[in-house]
Amino acid sequence: MEVVRNIVVTSVIDAVVDDLKAQVLGHDLRPGTPLTEAEVAARYDVARATAKAAIERLVADKVLVRKNHKTARVVKLGPADVRDIYRTRAYLESEVPLEARVANAEIEALWRQGSWDSVDADMRFHTSLIDALGSARTSSVYGSLAFEVKLCMAQLQGSQRLSPEIIVAEHSRILDLIDAGDASGVAAMLDEHLARARELLAGALGGVPGPEAERPSTALMAQLPG
C-alpha cells in the first residue's frame, strides 16, 4: 500500500507543487515519470481538483510536460535545452541586434519631429534585445508580457512624463555598454532606465513615485560638456 506523504500546508496547492518540485530536483521523480491526477491525489491525500490544479501549475512552470492532452510527465532536458538555459544566463554578453539601433533611431526621429508616440519603436527596441539571445524560452516568457508591457508604455508616454530625449540617450548608452562587453554597466543602466519608467508610471496612475522618478539620467549627464 502506498504511503501517503504528509506535508505542512498554508496553501494545499502550493505545498503539493513545492514538494513535487523538490522530488524532481532530488531525482526522486526521474525525467519522463508520468504523474496523473489520481496518483497525485492519493500521494498527498487531496481532492482530485487540487491534484489537477497542482499538475497544471507544474506544467506552466515547465516542471512537467504534457502533449496533446496526454498524461503529464516530468520534464526531460536535452542538450538543446541546456544550451538554451545557459545562453539565457549569459544574455548580457550577446551582440547588439541591428533592430535595436533601428528602433532607437526611429524614436529619436519621432522626438525631433515633436512626437511622443514611440510605443511601438520602444517595444521593438526591448524585444530585439531579448530576441537577440536566440533563446526560445526567454522570448516566450517576454512575449507573454508583451501586451502588458505595451500597455504600460502607452500610459506613461501618453502622459508625456518621460521625455523621448531620455529614452534615446539611455537606449544608446545601453547599446554602447553591450558593445563594450560591460555586463555590469548594462545591468546598472537597464535598472536605472526601467526603474525611472516604473516609478513615473506609478505616479501617473495615482501612486507615490519613488525617488528613481526624479533622479537625473546618468546617460544624459554623460553627454554634458566638461
Side-chain angles (χ1 to χ4, degrees), residues 42-65:
R43 183 187 294 257
Y44 296 102
D45 194 20
V46 296
R48 285 283 292 266
T50 299
K52 179 180 179 181
I55 288 174
E56 289 176 349
R57 178 92 62 80
L58 291 165
V59 170
D61 289 347
K62 303 186 187 304
V63 179
L64 304 178
V65 293

mmCIF file of all heavy atoms in Angstrom, residues 42-65:
data_model
loop_
_atom_site.group_PDB
_atom_site.id
_atom_site.type_symbol
_atom_site.label_atom_id
_atom_site.label_comp_id
_atom_site.label_asym_id
_atom_site.label_seq_id
_atom_site.Cartn_x
_atom_site.Cartn_y
_atom_site.Cartn_z
ATOM 1 N N ALA A 42 -3.799 10.672 -4.465
ATOM 2 C CA ALA A 42 -3.549 9.610 -3.491
ATOM 3 C C ALA A 42 -2.272 9.853 -2.706
ATOM 4 O O ALA A 42 -2.213 9.623 -1.488
ATOM 5 C CB ALA A 42 -3.467 8.265 -4.214
ATOM 6 N N ARG A 43 -1.245 10.335 -3.397
ATOM 7 C CA ARG A 43 0.059 10.561 -2.765
ATOM 8 C C ARG A 43 -0.043 11.563 -1.620
ATOM 9 O O ARG A 43 0.585 11.403 -0.577
ATOM 10 C CB ARG A 43 1.049 11.068 -3.817
ATOM 11 C CG ARG A 43 2.466 11.289 -3.310
ATOM 12 C CD ARG A 43 3.306 11.952 -4.404
ATOM 13 N NE ARG A 43 3.496 11.086 -5.546
ATOM 14 C CZ ARG A 43 4.617 10.411 -5.808
ATOM 15 N NH1 ARG A 43 5.643 10.508 -4.982
ATOM 16 N NH2 ARG A 43 4.718 9.669 -6.881
ATOM 17 N N TYR A 44 -0.866 12.612 -1.803
ATOM 18 C CA TYR A 44 -0.955 13.680 -0.805
ATOM 19 C C TYR A 44 -2.291 13.697 -0.063
ATOM 20 O O TYR A 44 -2.538 14.594 0.738
ATOM 21 C CB TYR A 44 -0.719 15.028 -1.477
ATOM 22 C CG TYR A 44 0.669 15.166 -2.039
ATOM 23 C CD1 TYR A 44 0.909 15.011 -3.398
ATOM 24 C CD2 TYR A 44 1.745 15.406 -1.202
ATOM 25 C CE1 TYR A 44 2.190 15.105 -3.913
ATOM 26 C CE2 TYR A 44 3.028 15.507 -1.710
ATOM 27 C CZ TYR A 44 3.246 15.353 -3.060
ATOM 28 O OH TYR A 44 4.507 15.435 -3.564
ATOM 29 N N ASP A 45 -3.168 12.737 -0.374
ATOM 30 C CA ASP A 45 -4.481 12.679 0.266
ATOM 31 C C ASP A 45 -5.239 13.994 0.075
ATOM 32 O O ASP A 45 -5.726 14.615 1.035
ATOM 33 C CB ASP A 45 -4.351 12.367 1.758
ATOM 34 C CG ASP A 45 -5.693 11.957 2.368
ATOM 35 O OD1 ASP A 45 -6.609 11.551 1.616
ATOM 36 O OD2 ASP A 45 -5.832 12.092 3.599
ATOM 37 N N VAL A 46 -5.314 14.447 -1.187
ATOM 38 C CA VAL A 46 -6.020 15.680 -1.523
ATOM 39 C C VAL A 46 -7.090 15.367 -2.570
ATOM 40 O O VAL A 46 -7.110 14.281 -3.163
ATOM 41 C CB VAL A 46 -5.060 16.758 -2.070
ATOM 42 C CG1 VAL A 46 -4.047 17.161 -1.007
ATOM 43 C CG2 VAL A 46 -4.347 16.271 -3.337
ATOM 44 N N ALA A 47 -7.968 16.322 -2.796
ATOM 45 C CA ALA A 47 -9.033 16.150 -3.781
ATOM 46 C C ALA A 47 -8.460 16.128 -5.190
ATOM 47 O O ALA A 47 -7.389 16.682 -5.457
ATOM 48 C CB ALA A 47 -10.047 17.286 -3.651
ATOM 49 N N ARG A 48 -9.178 15.496 -6.106
ATOM 50 C CA ARG A 48 -8.728 15.437 -7.498
ATOM 51 C C ARG A 48 -8.583 16.838 -8.084
ATOM 52 O O ARG A 48 -7.682 17.093 -8.883
ATOM 53 C CB ARG A 48 -9.728 14.622 -8.338
ATOM 54 C CG ARG A 48 -9.652 13.118 -8.119
ATOM 55 C CD ARG A 48 -8.448 12.505 -8.830
ATOM 56 N NE ARG A 48 -8.573 12.552 -10.271
ATOM 57 C CZ ARG A 48 -9.067 11.568 -11.022
ATOM 58 N NH1 ARG A 48 -9.505 10.468 -10.438
ATOM 59 N NH2 ARG A 48 -9.129 11.676 -12.335
ATOM 60 N N ALA A 49 -9.486 17.738 -7.692
ATOM 61 C CA ALA A 49 -9.401 19.113 -8.215
ATOM 62 C C ALA A 49 -8.096 19.784 -7.792
ATOM 63 O O ALA A 49 -7.472 20.524 -8.563
ATOM 64 C CB ALA A 49 -10.596 19.930 -7.732
ATOM 65 N N THR A 50 -7.671 19.513 -6.559
ATOM 66 C CA THR A 50 -6.401 20.065 -6.069
ATOM 67 C C THR A 50 -5.228 19.463 -6.834
ATOM 68 O O THR A 50 -4.292 20.175 -7.220
ATOM 69 C CB THR A 50 -6.252 19.777 -4.564
ATOM 70 O OG1 THR A 50 -7.329 20.403 -3.866
ATOM 71 C CG2 THR A 50 -4.928 20.306 -4.028
ATOM 72 N N ALA A 51 -5.268 18.164 -7.053
ATOM 73 C CA ALA A 51 -4.210 17.495 -7.809
ATOM 74 C C ALA A 51 -4.135 18.040 -9.234
ATOM 75 O O ALA A 51 -3.049 18.274 -9.764
ATOM 76 C CB ALA A 51 -4.467 15.991 -7.829
ATOM 77 N N LYS A 52 -5.302 18.251 -9.840
ATOM 78 C CA LYS A 52 -5.333 18.793 -11.199
ATOM 79 C C LYS A 52 -4.719 20.178 -11.242
ATOM 80 O O LYS A 52 -3.918 20.491 -12.133
ATOM 81 C CB LYS A 52 -6.772 18.846 -11.696
ATOM 82 C CG LYS A 52 -6.915 19.423 -13.097
ATOM 83 C CD LYS A 52 -8.369 19.464 -13.538
ATOM 84 C CE LYS A 52 -8.487 20.067 -14.941
ATOM 85 N NZ LYS A 52 -9.894 20.146 -15.376
ATOM 86 N N ALA A 53 -5.057 21.032 -10.270
ATOM 87 C CA ALA A 53 -4.511 22.395 -10.231
ATOM 88 C C ALA A 53 -2.994 22.372 -10.044
ATOM 89 O O ALA A 53 -2.268 23.166 -10.647
ATOM 90 C CB ALA A 53 -5.176 23.196 -9.117
ATOM 91 N N ALA A 54 -2.512 21.444 -9.194
ATOM 92 C CA ALA A 54 -1.070 21.338 -8.962
ATOM 93 C C ALA A 54 -0.347 20.906 -10.233
ATOM 94 O O ALA A 54 0.711 21.457 -10.588
ATOM 95 C CB ALA A 54 -0.794 20.355 -7.837
ATOM 96 N N ILE A 55 -0.910 19.948 -10.938
ATOM 97 C CA ILE A 55 -0.297 19.480 -12.181
ATOM 98 C C ILE A 55 -0.281 20.592 -13.220
ATOM 99 O O ILE A 55 0.728 20.813 -13.913
ATOM 100 C CB ILE A 55 -1.038 18.238 -12.712
ATOM 101 C CG1 ILE A 55 -0.716 17.030 -11.831
ATOM 102 C CG2 ILE A 55 -0.657 17.945 -14.167
ATOM 103 C CD1 ILE A 55 -1.499 15.780 -12.175
ATOM 104 N N GLU A 56 -1.360 21.335 -13.317
ATOM 105 C CA GLU A 56 -1.412 22.442 -14.276
ATOM 106 C C GLU A 56 -0.375 23.503 -13.949
ATOM 107 O O GLU A 56 0.247 24.078 -14.846
ATOM 108 C CB GLU A 56 -2.814 23.050 -14.293
ATOM 109 C CG GLU A 56 -3.854 22.152 -14.945
ATOM 110 C CD GLU A 56 -5.263 22.695 -14.874
ATOM 111 O OE1 GLU A 56 -5.472 23.686 -14.132
ATOM 112 O OE2 GLU A 56 -6.141 22.134 -15.554
ATOM 113 N N ARG A 57 -0.183 23.766 -12.664
ATOM 114 C CA ARG A 57 0.841 24.729 -12.249
ATOM 115 C C ARG A 57 2.233 24.229 -12.633
ATOM 116 O O ARG A 57 3.067 25.006 -13.113
ATOM 117 C CB ARG A 57 0.764 24.928 -10.732
ATOM 118 C CG ARG A 57 1.803 25.884 -10.150
ATOM 119 C CD ARG A 57 1.304 27.295 -10.073
ATOM 120 N NE ARG A 57 0.156 27.388 -9.187
ATOM 121 C CZ ARG A 57 0.222 27.446 -7.853
ATOM 122 N NH1 ARG A 57 1.386 27.414 -7.243
ATOM 123 N NH2 ARG A 57 -0.879 27.552 -7.143
ATOM 124 N N LEU A 58 2.488 22.961 -12.422
ATOM 125 C CA LEU A 58 3.799 22.396 -12.752
ATOM 126 C C LEU A 58 4.041 22.369 -14.258
ATOM 127 O O LEU A 58 5.171 22.538 -14.707
ATOM 128 C CB LEU A 58 3.911 20.990 -12.157
ATOM 129 C CG LEU A 58 3.994 20.939 -10.631
ATOM 130 C CD1 LEU A 58 3.724 19.537 -10.117
ATOM 131 C CD2 LEU A 58 5.345 21.448 -10.143
ATOM 132 N N VAL A 59 2.994 22.155 -15.030
ATOM 133 C CA VAL A 59 3.128 22.229 -16.483
ATOM 134 C C VAL A 59 3.466 23.661 -16.896
ATOM 135 O O VAL A 59 4.354 23.894 -17.719
ATOM 136 C CB VAL A 59 1.839 21.753 -17.182
ATOM 137 C CG1 VAL A 59 1.890 22.055 -18.684
ATOM 138 C CG2 VAL A 59 1.641 20.248 -16.964
ATOM 139 N N ALA A 60 2.771 24.637 -16.293
ATOM 140 C CA ALA A 60 3.041 26.042 -16.602
ATOM 141 C C ALA A 60 4.462 26.433 -16.213
ATOM 142 O O ALA A 60 5.103 27.246 -16.892
ATOM 143 C CB ALA A 60 2.027 26.934 -15.889
ATOM 144 N N ASP A 61 4.964 25.861 -15.128
ATOM 145 C CA ASP A 61 6.331 26.154 -14.654
ATOM 146 C C ASP A 61 7.387 25.323 -15.370
ATOM 147 O O ASP A 61 8.571 25.409 -15.030
ATOM 148 C CB ASP A 61 6.430 25.882 -13.147
ATOM 149 C CG ASP A 61 5.679 26.910 -12.324
ATOM 150 O OD1 ASP A 61 5.295 27.962 -12.871
ATOM 151 O OD2 ASP A 61 5.484 26.647 -11.115
ATOM 152 N N LYS A 62 6.968 24.497 -16.324
ATOM 153 C CA LYS A 62 7.863 23.661 -17.124
ATOM 154 C C LYS A 62 8.573 22.586 -16.304
ATOM 155 O O LYS A 62 9.635 22.096 -16.676
ATOM 156 C CB LYS A 62 8.880 24.518 -17.900
ATOM 157 C CG LYS A 62 8.230 25.545 -18.814
ATOM 158 C CD LYS A 62 9.258 26.270 -19.653
ATOM 159 C CE LYS A 62 8.636 27.410 -20.443
ATOM 160 N NZ LYS A 62 7.525 26.995 -21.303
ATOM 161 N N VAL A 63 7.975 22.237 -15.172
ATOM 162 C CA VAL A 63 8.467 21.099 -14.393
ATOM 163 C C VAL A 63 7.935 19.806 -15.004
ATOM 164 O O VAL A 63 8.626 18.785 -15.047
ATOM 165 C CB VAL A 63 8.029 21.213 -12.918
ATOM 166 C CG1 VAL A 63 8.525 20.017 -12.108
ATOM 167 C CG2 VAL A 63 8.544 22.513 -12.314
ATOM 168 N N LEU A 64 6.685 19.867 -15.462
ATOM 169 C CA LEU A 64 6.064 18.755 -16.173
ATOM 170 C C LEU A 64 5.759 19.180 -17.606
ATOM 171 O O LEU A 64 5.610 20.374 -17.887
ATOM 172 C CB LEU A 64 4.754 18.335 -15.499
ATOM 173 C CG LEU A 64 4.791 17.950 -14.023
ATOM 174 C CD1 LEU A 64 3.384 17.603 -13.539
ATOM 175 C CD2 LEU A 64 5.740 16.791 -13.786
ATOM 176 N N VAL A 65 5.688 18.215 -18.492
ATOM 177 C CA VAL A 65 5.282 18.490 -19.872
ATOM 178 C C VAL A 65 4.089 17.599 -20.199
ATOM 179 O O VAL A 65 3.993 16.468 -19.720
ATOM 180 C CB VAL A 65 6.434 18.239 -20.876
ATOM 181 C CG1 VAL A 65 7.552 19.241 -20.679
ATOM 182 C CG2 VAL A 65 6.966 16.817 -20.748
#
